[in-house]
Amino acid sequence: MKLGLAVLRISAAPPPTSAREGGGPLLLLFPSSRIFHCESSSLSLFSSRSPFRPLVARLATSFESSQRNSIHSGSNEDEEEEGDPYLTSSNPSASLLSLSEKPDRSLALLDEYELEELDPDRSTCHNHRSGYVAVLGRPNVGKSTLSNQMIGQKLSIVTEKPQTTRHRILGICSDPEYQMILYDTPGVIEKKMHMLDSMMMKNVRNAALNADCVIVVVDACKVPHKIDDVLEEGIGTLTDNLPILLVLNKKDLIKPGEIAKRLEWYQKFTNVDDVIPVSAKFGQGVDDVKDWILSKLPFGPAYYPKDIASEHPERFFVAEFVREKIFMQYRNEVPYACQVNVLNYISRPTSKDFIQVEIVVEKESQKIILIGKGGKALKVLATAARLDIEDFLQKKVFLEVEVKVKENWRQDEGLLRYYGYGGQIRAL
């Protein structure tokens, strides 16, 4: 039997009628308390001051319709819900969020309420520092773990497999006296096998355009090596103008004497301003890294409101959680051949949120592996992802997972830009 579209639903709550019948755009609120910093934790769940921008979004666009022969893999926790796919139309005018544009200080993303809160005496910010930090390095050296530690919460997915991060993840670390904006970037690779690889490396280079300083992360467990290729790929001709810190990560895995030798080697044979050994996994040395960054950031007001942790919309992180579970559950080429898109996200204050996700693969054989016998593998994946999403959103969700085939999507530049690899992601 030829497999077509595979659909898995995890929840007993039915999707809203408007998602099936309404033809016009819907308004979606993305409430969350998980992402709030402590100074904003008392805000209402439905406060207009969301930790993400945009605050309110239309119904998400679906990706172009594909030829489907549907099979439904029933795996609800409570009961199976009958119904058709909910999104069949596309909206090419959906707004895009640039990952490269640097906002105007103090005015970026502030609403009227937040503008009123600005202290005119602090607007000059003689003692306040703010700026952008590019986090670079080869795959699997701990860039995302370090970024998550500095931000204080998980924004970048982390797995043991290399090249897990594909997008530049913009994370915001704020304090009354400073605001650090971190660009967690994909790992620098020399051999680019797909158009996707080339576009990811372009995003790595673009991350340094707005940077006030650069962090290069290396694996302390490996034999010391030159980082010229990382600097060339990530910074290029900006090397002489930007302060560079080399972070020697995973120091907890080797003896103190070996750390000292590696520290000496990197100080002698690399063209960086400083070297700091850390254990990003356990937070050791992370404060030293933050202190170094703060010493390099310029004085000035914040770029973003102090109570948000990222400019990315919540739907972006929902897709990342699903993709993380794919990397953790499947082997070999399958995780790298997968693209995850949130087709539909409807927040419902009195019941479970409805989230529709598609997983795009390149081959029928990969789809069969993802689904598993009788849909069991897909059910395990969706359940694990749903639990993380619910923890992230702090509420129950109805998660529907679809598997589609788009041959050679990693070589299709137009499709890659649509998926957000051209420096812009869909904000709605």
Side-chain angles (χ1 to χ4, degrees):
M1 180 180 69
K2 182 179 179 181
L3 291 176
L5 172 67
V7 179
L8 178 66
R9 298 176 185 169
I10 304 292
S11 179
T17 304
S18 58
R20 299 188 185 189
E21 299 175 356
L26 299 178
L27 291 181
L28 306 180
L29 292 178
F30 294 162
S32 170
S33 58
R34 183 68 171 176
I35 280 298
F36 279 8
H37 289 288
C38 57
E39 63 264 27
S40 62
S41 60
S42 61
L43 291 178
S44 166
L45 180 66
F46 302 106
S47 168
S48 64
R49 304 183 64 190
S50 166
F52 297 99
R53 295 297 196 261
L55 301 176
V56 181
R58 298 193 304 273
L59 179 65
T61 61
S62 67
F63 297 90
E64 68 273 13
S65 299
S66 60
Q67 296 295 328
R68 302 179 176 186
N69 292 318
S70 297
I71 65 169
H72 290 261
S73 177
S75 54
N76 294 334
E77 286 185 329
D78 305 310
E79 64 184 45
E80 186 176 356
E81 176 66 22
E82 298 288 341
D84 299 325
Y86 308 110
L87 287 177
T88 57
S89 62
S90 61
N91 179 10
S93 63
S95 67
L96 299 175
L97 173 67
S98 173
L99 300 181
S100 303
E101 294 179 4
K102 198 171 185 177
D104 294 332
R105 287 179 185 266
S106 290
L107 298 179
L109 306 178
L110 298 181
D111 55 31
E112 293 181 2
Y113 176 81
E114 292 162 333
L115 286 171
E116 291 176 359
E117 280 190 326
L118 286 177
D119 184 347
D121 295 331
R122 287 185 59 82
S123 60
T124 53
C125 295
H126 296 298
N127 298 317
H128 185 277
R129 292 180 181 269
S130 62
Y132 282 74
V133 184
V135 184
L136 311 177
R138 291 192 176 94
N140 214 28
V141 296
K143 300 183 299 299
S144 296
T145 304
L146 178 64
S147 297
N148 289 340
Q149 281 282 6
M150 288 196 286
I151 295 166
Q153 53 195 303
K154 181 179 176 179
L155 293 183
S156 298
I157 61 175
V158 178
T159 75
E160 296 180 354
K161 293 183 174 67
Q163 207 64 38
T164 302
T165 301
R166 285 179 178 172
H167 294 273
R168 278 176 289 160
I169 311 296
L170 187 150
I172 303 169
C173 177
S174 295
D175 186 85
E177 302 301 323
Y178 65 81
Q179 184 176 84
M180 294 186 296
I181 302 142
L182 304 175
Y183 272 135
D184 181 19
T185 62
V188 172
I189 54 178
E190 297 180 7
K191 186 177 181 180
K192 304 172 181 62
M193 299 179 60
H194 304 93
M195 176 65 70
L196 172 62
D197 299 329
S198 299
M199 295 181 75
M200 286 195 302
M201 290 307 97
K202 184 177 180 179
N203 285 332
V204 171
R205 291 190 296 273
N206 289 342
L209 296 179
N210 291 331
D212 297 289
C213 61
V214 172
I215 296 176
V216 178
V217 184
V218 298
D219 188 341
C221 299
K222 296 183 178 180
V223 176
H225 56 271
K226 294 279 188 174
I227 60 170
D228 296 347
D229 58 332
V230 176
L231 294 176
E232 176 64 27
E233 190 73 53
I235 305 175
T237 58
L238 301 175
T239 306
D240 297 333
N241 302 323
L242 291 174
I244 302 173
L245 170 67
L246 190 143
V247 172
L248 196 57
N249 190 27
K250 306 183 184 180
K251 74 171 187 177
D252 55 295
L253 299 180
I254 61 176
K255 298 178 180 180
E258 289 299 315
I259 280 288
K261 292 179 182 178
R262 283 162 169 71
L263 194 64
E264 181 180 2
W265 191 94
Y266 280 110
Q267 289 172 333
K268 183 176 181 180
F269 294 105
T270 57
N271 184 25
V272 297
D273 295 279
D274 290 289
V275 183
I276 297 178
V278 307
S279 171
K281 181 178 180 179
F282 297 103
Q284 301 170 2
V286 173
D287 287 340
D288 294 333
V289 175
K290 292 175 72 172
D291 289 341
W292 183 91
I293 292 172
L294 290 175
S295 71
K296 307 302 178 183
L297 296 184
F299 289 103
Y303 285 92
Y304 298 92
K306 288 297 186 76
D307 59 0
I308 70 172
S310 181
E311 190 183 19
H312 294 1
E314 285 182 347
R315 62 188 302 113
F316 173 86
F317 294 103
V318 167
E320 287 290 279
F321 287 139
V322 176
R323 198 165 62 83
E324 179 184 53
K325 301 310 175 188
I326 296 173
F327 268 86
M328 296 174 68
Q329 183 173 332
Y330 298 92
R331 300 177 181 177
N332 302 328
E333 174 66 11
V334 171
Y336 298 97
C338 291
Q339 164 67 22
V340 180
N341 308 306
V342 175
L343 298 181
N344 193 2
Y345 183 137
I346 298 179
S347 178
R348 300 182 286 181
T350 58
S351 61
K352 296 181 180 182
D353 287 359
F354 171 69
I355 302 176
Q356 184 186 29
V357 171
E358 71 169 4
I359 302 174
V360 178
V361 295
E362 292 185 316
K363 302 175 182 178
E364 287 286 338
S365 59
Q366 295 164 349
K367 180 172 65 175
I368 295 173
I369 294 172
L370 276 174
I371 296 170
K373 185 177 181 179
K376 291 182 180 179
L378 191 60
K379 180 177 180 179
V380 171
L381 169 69
T383 300
R386 178 182 57 78
L387 292 174
D388 267 13
I389 293 168
E390 289 179 340
D391 184 58
F392 178 77
L393 299 175
Q394 289 293 282
K395 72 173 302 185
K396 298 293 185 180
V397 302
F398 178 104
L399 179 63
E400 180 179 286
V401 180
E402 306 175 356
V403 182
K404 302 178 183 177
V405 175
K406 295 184 187 296
E407 294 184 1
N408 295 321
W409 69 263
R410 286 182 289 179
Q411 298 284 24
D412 189 329
E413 183 175 359
L415 200 55
L416 289 169
R417 290 186 180 278
Y418 192 84
Y419 289 158
Y421 296 104
Q424 293 179 320
I425 61 174
R426 295 192 173 274
L428 301 181

